Amino acid sequence: MDGGGAAELRETHRLVGHADRAWALAWNPNPGAGAGPVLASCGADKTVRIWKRAPDGAWHCSDVLEGVHERTVRSCAWSPDGKLLADASFDGTAAIWEYSGGDFELVDTLEGHANEVKSVSWSQSGSMVATCSRDRAAWIWEILPGNDHECVDVLEGHTEDVKMVQWHPFFDVLVSVSYDNTIRVWADDGDVDLLFLDHSGHSSTVWSISFNQKGDRMVTCSDDCTLKIWDTSIDLSQPTTGEGHESWHHISTLSGYHGRTIFSALWSSEDVIASGASDDAICLFAEENS
């Protein structure tokens, strides 16, 4: 893809099993030696499915996690060690599953949001889970002994639905995006509360966030049919707080590639950004050497 060269992609497998719309996917970051890739998917059929690749290369559904949620499962995410799987549902709850003894076991249900839970994300340390909701809030849950989870903070500041939360890949810094067109970066100031930094870079609903491998850039996408690239020059391990402080700044806008809402953007380990939109297109972007 150097200098604008085209990438060739082809379909290699099609995973069929969900009885309704599939909403989200999550690769297990640590499936175990020799186990091969493990993928989780969730959907409007109220289930989470676990997919594994056999030695011959074929994919199969090894587990169906069901009977917990009463409505769509909108998001799923693995813990950094790959042992726990969290999901978020439109029934207002999130669930934590543990893989043990060859089976998945429900170990906790996170309750408290007043409305649909839209997204779930693990902190890089694996000690915290973040959820967000149509109730305009993001919640921080701390992992306690015995797989109990306690809400330690409710982050209020968005004025509309919070669509997605994502932890920074190295530090306990959380980013949230919302129907209110803003991106908020939340950093622990050492007290109980978290402080937020507000960016109003998009002109419409912001749908998703993804960080690059170094953690010094992130990409967001929106109803306004653009992707925006953000950069930080500060040491995020020592968050600076205070009125007017801006730790992230906008460096680029990618526009004119999608004709309708961009729902998803993902920054790959190869430094390629993939975007998916309601115009039925997937675009790949790579930074030019210049």
Side-chain angles (χ1 to χ4, degrees):
M1 296 181 62
D2 293 339
E8 294 186 7
L9 297 177
R10 61 184 178 87
E11 180 182 300
T12 58
H13 301 279
R14 182 168 297 192
L15 311 184
V16 179
H18 282 288
D20 205 332
R21 182 177 303 171
W23 272 108
L25 303 169
W27 289 103
N28 189 312
N30 185 27
V38 176
L39 180 69
S41 63
C42 59
D45 60 4
K46 310 171 189 175
T47 71
V48 177
R49 289 179 174 265
I50 308 299
W51 307 86
K52 296 181 180 179
R53 190 169 67 186
D56 63 1
W59 286 83
H60 67 281
C61 180
S62 63
D63 298 273
V64 180
L65 313 184
E66 57 187 344
V68 173
H69 294 295
E70 299 175 356
R71 296 183 62 191
T72 292
V73 183
R74 181 63 179 84
S75 173
C76 56
W78 295 95
S79 61
D81 62 8
K83 296 179 180 179
L84 297 172
L85 178 67
D87 68 44
S89 172
F90 283 0
D91 65 10
T93 69
I96 307 293
W97 304 84
E98 182 178 28
Y99 185 69
S100 177
D103 295 310
F104 282 87
E105 177 187 358
L106 177 69
V107 295
D108 204 1
T109 301
L110 311 184
E111 300 178 326
H113 281 290
N115 217 311
E116 300 170 355
V117 184
K118 301 293 185 71
S119 175
V120 61
S121 178
W122 291 86
S123 67
Q124 54 83 29
S125 64
S127 63
M128 292 184 289
V129 174
T131 56
C132 66
S133 169
R134 189 178 176 183
D135 63 12
R136 307 177 181 180
W139 288 40
I140 307 296
W141 308 82
E142 185 177 8
I143 313 298
L144 301 176
N147 274 327
D148 287 332
H149 299 75
E150 177 185 2
C151 178
V152 294
D153 219 329
V154 177
L155 311 181
E156 297 176 314
H158 284 292
T159 59
E160 299 290 343
D161 295 18
V162 186
K163 303 303 296 182
M164 186 178 187
V165 284
Q166 185 69 49
W167 289 96
H168 188 274
F170 304 121
F171 306 113
D172 287 339
V173 173
L174 183 71
V175 180
S176 59
V177 296
S178 169
Y179 267 172
D180 64 11
N181 310 350
T182 68
I183 304 150
R184 290 177 177 252
V185 182
W186 308 79
D188 189 355
D189 69 347
D191 296 323
V192 175
D193 293 330
L194 300 181
L195 304 180
F196 68 82
L197 311 171
D198 193 358
H199 300 281
S200 302
H202 288 282
S203 62
S204 190
T205 300
V206 189
W207 282 92
S208 77
I209 327 120
S210 182
F211 290 96
N212 68 352
Q213 290 293 294
K214 293 181 179 179
D216 59 354
R217 289 185 177 182
M218 64 180 174
V219 59
T220 57
C221 62
S222 170
D223 264 349
D224 62 15
C225 303
T226 71
L227 295 105
K228 289 185 180 290
I229 312 298
W230 306 82
D231 184 89
T232 185
S233 57
I234 69 167
D235 179 3
L236 289 175
S237 66
Q238 302 292 329
T240 303
T241 58
E243 185 176 356
H245 172 70
E246 296 287 339
S247 60
W248 292 85
H249 58 277
H250 170 247
I251 60 172
S252 181
T253 296
L254 306 178
S255 62
Y257 299 98
H258 287 291
R260 298 182 64 185
T261 296
I262 306 174
F263 285 114
S264 180
L266 181 66
W267 210 315
S268 79
S269 57
E270 291 78 22
D271 221 22
V272 174
I273 296 171
S275 61
S278 57
D279 59 5
D280 299 334
I282 297 172
C283 292
L284 302 179
F285 302 90
E287 187 174 11
E288 294 181 348
N289 292 332
S290 59

